[in-house]
Amino acid sequence: MDRTLALEFVRVTEAAALRSGRLMGRGLKDDADQLAVDAMRQTFDTVPISGTVVIGEGEIDEAPMLYIGEHVGAGGEAVDIAVDPIEGTNLIAKGQNGAIAVLAIAPKGGLLHAPDMYMQKLCVGPRAKGVIDLNASVTENLRRVAEKMERGIDDLTVVMLDRERHQDIMKECREAGARIRLITDGDVNPAMECGLEGSGIHMVIGTGGAPEGVLAAAALKCTGGDMQARLLPETDEEVRRCHAMGITDLNKVLTIDDLVHGEDVIFAATAITEGNILSGIKYFAGGARTESVVMRYRTGTVRFVDTIHRLDRKLKSMKAR
Ligand code: VTB
Ligand code: MG
Ligand code: MG
């Protein structure tokens, strides 16, 4: 993929974040989501790609925009797109940390077309690459990651969604001595943070959305991190969808390269609320400031984009056109 596209994609996540961030703390998660979806959709149409949404807001009959199969872009290189215009709508609604606007782009066929079902995930950063095993116990994984990172288990911080279903792994992490950060929503952001030195996050574990799993894998692939996952279909229909994707062995451990294949992927995210690496949006009279990250697997470049948006000037220049 043309590398100049990377900056175009940041514009897309910035737009989604800028538009929806205004609603922080207002308790309006669906309204915020709608604003982000609209902004992302519009901005995509200024980017010179022929994109197909493979992970999006839902099926064609349930999502008016950015539905799976929808074509976006102004025309150009054929790419597959995974989007989550707001990853963590509850977080925005309550003004809590960790909401991001996020996307991943790969050449056709580069992203697992993960349907909306649960996925068991285990994510680590580059310093722990090659040692995780989803079939091993949590304790064993913590032991191996700590050893690879040349530190104690008590120097590891593990993130998981605060859910009843995680009681067992939570207990195991506590007994092994790891520090835990329980989050109410949004497991893509901490997975991305695992790959970035200085975030203080070393592992993300537990069950969350499969679409979010592919976005996490894209970020971790770019930073050289590692991930393993397993689809957890719950209904016959979900099982059928796994089979349709060519996954016949439902117990199969998906590696990071199963989730994101090939040698080319771009990941971009803009913080909406505060994160451990990216600061949340700050609005001021006439504008706002956003922090984003954009990464390319091909070169391994991780670019932090700190942008001041003069919304008053933009409006003026649009009117003058
Ligand atoms: C998961 C997680 C997401 O929603 O999909 C979660 O991966 C929903 O999980 O990051 P529950 O069914 O347990 O509520 C998010 O937190 C936000 O999209
Ligand atoms: Mg969302
Ligand atoms: Mg989400």
Side-chain angles (χ1 to χ4, degrees), residues 11-44 57 64-66 84-87 89 92-93 100-102 272 281 283:
R11 288 204 177 86
V12 175
T13 55
E14 280 180 349
L18 277 170
R19 201 84 70 77
S20 59
R22 284 277 185 207
L23 291 189
M24 186 178 81
R26 301 276 291 273
L28 303 169
K29 67 179 205 158
D30 292 340
D31 296 30
D33 213 16
Q34 191 60 55
L35 291 174
V37 170
D38 292 354
M40 214 178 231
R41 182 71 181 73
Q42 281 168 18
T43 316
F44 260 129
E57 289 296 285
M65 268 198 277
L66 296 176
D84 201 344
I86 299 180
E87 160 53 2
T89 48
I92 291 206
I100 55 173
V102 57
I272 306 174
I281 308 178
Y283 292 93

Side-chain angles (χ1 to χ4, degrees), residues 258-275:
D258 293 328
L259 296 164
V260 177
H261 345 286
E263 297 304 308
D264 210 359
V265 61
I266 293 174
F267 172 92
T270 300
I272 306 174
T273 57
E274 218 58 42

Side-chain angles (χ1 to χ4, degrees), residues 84 87-88 118 121 161 163 165 184-188 208-209 212:
D84 201 344
E87 160 53 2
Y118 280 122
K121 316 172 193 180
L161 287 162
R163 297 291 190 276
R165 61 177 180 267
T184 56
D185 266 301
D187 61 1
V188 178
E212 279 85 355

